[in-house]
Amino acid sequence: MKEDCIFCKIIKGEIPSSKVYEDEEILAFNDINPAAPIHILLIPKKHIKSLAELKDGDEKVIGKIYQVINKIAEKQEFKEKGYRVIANCGKDGGQEVEHLHFHLLAGKQLGEKIV
Ligand code: 5GP
Ligand code: ZN
């Protein structure tokens, strides 16, 4: 936990959020400024600054996040139609919140394909 981190505060409940999934390692909640009808953020409860700061062993929680994405896609019934997962990393990557997070976007034909 990092005192001044907005996502750590969400994990602690100091900032309210609309939770979609929670277990001992992972929290998923709706993005406050959605870019699609479904826009969920998935974060490890451990404060990891970004993909560039992964330590040995962190790959476990990342793999689990992708399994949680599958569960959410099934439950919210967009698994068949499809979805997009994005992790912005660092300044050039457009990362604004410095606590590793994965954007899960769904619910419409998503626009501009960069890659
Ligand atoms: P980034 O640009 O760092 O990849 O994404 C940060 C995301 O966090 C943005 O989509 C932004 O809307 C979202 N966000 C920032 N502050 C809050 C907050 O307090 N609550 C929620 N639910 N989302 C937030
Ligand atoms: Zn944090």
Side-chain angles (χ1 to χ4, degrees):
M1 292 286 168
K2 193 165 174 280
E3 282 305 315
D4 59 348
C5 169
I6 192 167
F7 286 176
C8 282
K9 286 182 180 172
I10 285 177
I11 292 163
K12 284 186 275 182
E14 290 174 11
I15 295 175
S17 69
S18 158
K19 289 181 190 174
V20 175
Y21 173 91
E22 183 168 21
D23 65 29
E24 59 290 343
E25 287 179 305
I26 293 164
L27 179 65
F29 54 98
N30 290 307
D31 196 291
I32 206 167
N33 184 23
I38 295 165
H39 185 169
I40 296 165
L41 298 172
L42 295 106
I43 63 175
K45 288 190 171 176
K46 177 187 174 188
H47 180 88
I48 301 169
K49 191 176 169 187
S50 76
L51 281 178
E53 304 281 333
L54 294 179
K55 302 276 184 293
D56 280 353
D58 288 344
E59 66 277 1
K60 253 181 101 179
V61 74
I62 308 262
K64 203 174 163 196
I65 281 173
Y66 277 88
Q67 293 290 22
V68 171
I69 287 170
N70 268 340
K71 280 187 203 163
I72 294 171
E74 213 161 287
K75 205 170 174 195
Q76 297 201 11
E77 297 179 340
F78 58 81
K79 197 170 182 171
E80 296 296 318
K81 282 202 148 186
Y83 52 89
R84 188 175 292 169
V85 182
I86 297 171
N88 298 322
C89 180
K91 192 168 161 283
D92 277 3
Q95 183 178 6
E96 285 177 11
V97 177
E98 292 189 331
H99 181 129
L100 176 63
H101 53 282
F102 294 81
H103 297 259
L104 170 58
L105 300 154
K108 70 169 187 181
Q109 174 68 61
L110 296 162
E112 192 185 357
K113 267 188 84 186
I114 297 170
V115 287

